Amino acid sequence: MGLLCLSVGSAILLTGCGGDAQSAPTPTAQPTAAVATTTQVTTTVPVPVTTTSEVPPTTVPPTTTLTDVHFERNESYYFTTPDGNFQCGIIRLPTRIEAGCEGTTTPVPPRPESCMVNWGNGIRVQDEGEGAFMCSGGPVYMSGGPEADPVLPPGTPLSKLGFTCTTTATDVSCVNEQTTHGFTVAADSNEVF
């Protein structure tokens, strides 16, 4: 009878724990082995929230000014007029310094007998004397760099090597600062002084 009570008591105990006597495992003696387990832990780091008052000021690139534009190449200074009609420069040559522009203008004075090459496509002012049309065998006032020469903005003077050149939307003037001689040239007009 005692064994019956123990069996009934065990069955009630198992039923009370959510199982029944038939589903309960039979204890057996088995050797146990240590099982290595790896636990992966994910840590969430809080990201600080910034408000608009904590945002650092943004850096705005400066606007380009005349001093930021590089006109210089080989100790000379080259530029293009705003309308693109003239290539100009204040250039240092082995024997003199001059300012001049190349492009098509009208009217052009007659070719002098001493000019055997190109005439009327350039105008310049040198260290001495008034501005004049030039006789040349090829381009003189182009830097020859890999990119087009920069545009000289209207109303912004370029003063280098004793000469000052300025542009408008349609013309360019260059003056020898010491002698005050120079020229003004546009597609449909020109003046030397």
Side-chain angles (χ1 to χ4, degrees), residues 13 20 37 42 44-45 61 64 78 81 131 155 161 183 187 192:
L13 182 61
D20 59 350
T37 59
T42 304
T44 304
V45 178
T64 302
Y78 299 92
T81 57
L161 306 174
F183 64 86
V192 293

Side-chain angles (χ1 to χ4, degrees), residues 9-78:
S10 294
I12 293 173
L13 182 61
L14 286 175
T15 304
C17 291
D20 59 350
Q22 294 172 350
S23 66
T26 346
T28 57
Q30 293 182 3
T32 59
V35 178
T37 59
T38 305
T39 306
Q40 187 174 15
V41 177
T42 304
T43 305
T44 304
V45 178
V47 177
V49 177
T50 58
T51 62
T52 55
S53 62
E54 295 174 357
V55 174
T58 58
T59 304
V60 177
T63 57
T64 302
T65 63
L66 181 60
T67 56
D68 296 327
V69 178
H70 299 283
F71 293 98
E72 183 179 8
R73 184 170 172 90
N74 300 327
E75 298 182 32
S76 296
Y77 302 85
Y78 299 92

Side-chain angles (χ1 to χ4, degrees), residues 53-191:
S53 62
E54 295 174 357
V55 174
T58 58
T59 304
V60 177
T63 57
T64 302
T65 63
L66 181 60
T67 56
D68 296 327
V69 178
H70 299 283
F71 293 98
E72 183 179 8
R73 184 170 172 90
N74 300 327
E75 298 182 32
S76 296
Y77 302 85
Y78 299 92
F79 63 94
T80 303
T81 57
D83 62 7
N85 287 334
F86 294 94
Q87 297 293 313
C88 304
I90 301 171
I91 62 173
R92 181 184 301 274
L93 298 170
T95 59
R96 67 182 183 274
I97 297 173
E98 64 183 49
C101 293
E102 294 171 295
T104 304
T105 185
T106 189
V108 175
R111 176 193 305 262
E113 289 182 24
S114 61
C115 181
M116 302 306 223
V117 290
N118 295 331
W119 172 255
N121 64 337
I123 194 167
R124 69 178 169 205
V125 60
Q126 298 178 340
D127 290 332
E128 297 177 1
E130 293 184 354
F133 277 86
M134 58 187 258
C135 181
S136 70
V140 178
Y141 305 112
M142 299 169 96
S143 70
E147 298 177 11
D149 295 324
V151 172
L152 182 62
T156 304
L158 177 62
S159 296
K160 299 292 181 185
L161 306 174
F163 293 84
T164 297
C165 295
T166 56
T167 62
T168 68
T170 59
D171 68 24
V172 58
S173 297
C174 293
V175 176
N176 178 325
E177 294 168 357
Q178 190 171 41
T179 67
T180 68
H181 290 300
F183 64 86
T184 299
V185 64
D188 57 0
S189 65
N190 56 72
E191 175 189 5

